[in-house]
Amino acid sequence: MDESRQSSSGGVGAVLRKAAPPPALCGFLLLLALIFTVSYAVGVGAGPVAPGMHGTSTSGDGSGGPDDTGDMDDMHGGHG
């Protein structure tokens, strides 16, 4: 009777061990999340990369966008 209880409880433990990811993978993902968190914090602390840079804007101040063609206004798609 005791053997049947041990085999049934051992089967559940074996299934849980097979379903769980390997400890090395968990450690790697934890380290990766830590590195990204530290990197983000350093980036926020450093501030913008250029003076006056405050993110993207959708206003028509000439900062680029879907209607901005740059220096290619005279091109009409023809060859030659």
Side-chain angles (χ1 to χ4, degrees):
M1 190 92 164
D2 291 334
E3 291 177 15
S4 64
R5 289 182 184 169
Q6 288 178 351
S7 64
S8 66
S9 64
V12 172
V15 169
L16 289 176
R17 273 183 255 130
K18 287 181 182 179
L25 178 63
C26 293
F28 173 74
L29 292 176
L30 183 65
L31 181 64
L32 193 64
L34 180 68
I35 288 172
F36 279 126
T37 303
V38 169
S39 174
Y40 182 79
V42 168
V44 167
V49 294
M53 189 173 204
H54 299 290
T56 60
S57 66
T58 57
S59 64
D61 60 356
S63 64
D67 296 332
D68 187 18
T69 58
D71 294 334
M72 297 184 166
D73 290 334
D74 60 338
M75 295 186 75
H76 301 287
H79 291 60

